[in-house]
Amino acid sequence: MANPHGTPIWYELLTDDQNAAETFYAAVLGWTIAKPDMGPPGIDYRVASAADGPVGGIMKKPEGAPMPPAWLIYFGVNDVDAATARAKDLGAADHMPPMDIPEVGRMAFLADPQGCFFYVMRGFSPQDSRAFQAETGPVPGHCVWNELATPDQDGALAFYGDLLGFRQEGAFPMGDLGDYKFWHVGETRIGAVMPRMPGGRTGWQVFFGVDDIDAAKQRLDAAGGNTLFGPSEIPGGAFTIVCADPQGAQFGLVGPRKA
């Protein structure tokens, strides 16, 4: 994949129940979910696709994994081995060293110095990934925002700026909680970094686009999801919901209010 270094190129759900997750996300986001011919050897890996292409994978959380069910982000890099070595120099932990997945790509699984998990990857396909789409507003079924909550905002800005070339530009003040600082890769705003909220979680959270936030909320409720916050209006006129699937993996929804 030739996506610019630092671009989110894939999303992955680690879950305790793949079948339940497949049913849930198909209902809420309209994904088509299938088992591909290629993938990690010996692993039940399912690929979720929006109407115009694949977005991410669903796999069972490995036994003993040091994390609850969660969505993870793959960031595209020019060289996985070099990126992994640099991440370790910057204080990251290497939980899975660089490895090749036949016909898919080379990747490594890391945790930043604050313990937030993510992947770095270089895909073998000559085509660019379109899993992340935010150029024209919320795109139904695709990830449209990548948000990091961290106990060390300045440390995260320095780490991801060095490793992935993230450029911080612009911010939204949150009063006593600090600033919600926007991140760019090139000219594309990919998400933001924020201080961890009191009692809140640490880590990356992904937001998927929907065509109508209220209709999505109805689908979420009917499928057994849990609304944690919202719907709330955000700059630009869209609305967002922070939620969790029935297995506890947190994610977000973003879209207009049509009613």
Side-chain angles (χ1 to χ4, degrees):
M1 295 171 181
N3 300 78
H5 183 86
T7 303
I9 61 171
W10 192 247
Y11 299 90
E12 186 172 272
L13 174 65
L14 296 182
T15 181
D16 293 327
D17 190 333
Q18 284 176 285
N19 292 331
E22 182 173 329
T23 299
F24 173 81
Y25 288 100
V28 175
L29 293 172
W31 284 342
T32 299
I33 300 171
K35 296 181 183 180
D37 294 332
M38 58 185 181
I43 295 177
D44 180 358
Y45 199 85
R46 308 179 190 185
V47 171
S49 298
D52 60 345
V55 176
I58 298 173
M59 65 177 290
K60 186 171 177 58
K61 182 167 67 73
E63 295 294 334
M67 59 191 302
W71 278 98
L72 299 171
I73 304 173
Y74 287 68
F75 293 104
V77 295
N78 296 330
D79 184 318
V80 171
D81 296 81
T84 301
R86 183 56 184 162
K88 293 168 70 174
D89 288 343
L90 295 169
D94 177 1
H95 287 274
M96 185 188 78
M99 63 176 293
D100 288 341
I101 301 296
E103 300 183 67
V104 175
R106 187 164 179 80
M107 65 193 69
F109 183 43
L110 310 172
D112 70 20
Q114 289 73 49
C116 303
F117 296 105
F118 66 101
Y119 286 93
V120 291
M121 179 179 180
R122 184 69 179 178
F124 293 153
S125 171
Q127 297 181 336
D128 286 355
S129 166
R130 298 288 292 167
F132 170 71
Q133 294 190 36
E135 297 90 339
T136 58
V139 179
H142 286 268
C143 184
V144 298
W145 196 248
N146 307 271
E147 179 184 275
L148 177 63
T150 176
D152 183 357
Q153 191 178 36
D154 289 339
L157 287 166
F159 174 80
Y160 289 99
D162 187 310
L163 181 67
L164 298 177
F166 287 2
R167 174 174 53 85
Q168 193 273 313
E169 181 179 317
F172 183 82
M174 301 186 298
D176 293 340
L177 298 175
D179 287 345
Y180 189 80
K181 298 184 177 182
F182 302 122
W183 258 329
H184 296 70
V185 172
E187 298 303 313
T188 301
R189 189 163 71 174
I190 66 164
V193 57
M194 62 184 289
R196 182 180 60 192
M197 298 294 98
R201 62 187 290 276
T202 294
W204 284 98
Q205 181 159 275
V206 301
F207 288 76
F208 298 107
V210 295
D211 57 2
D212 183 334
I213 197 69
D214 295 306
K217 174 70 164 62
Q218 292 177 354
R219 296 194 300 269
L220 177 78
D221 292 342
N226 182 22
T227 297
L228 305 176
F229 183 78
S232 56
E233 190 169 9
I234 57 176
F239 288 77
T240 184
I241 296 173
V242 177
C243 46
D245 68 24
Q247 285 69 52
Q250 291 189 24
F251 65 103
L253 301 172
V254 180
R257 170 164 279 165
K258 293 187 175 180

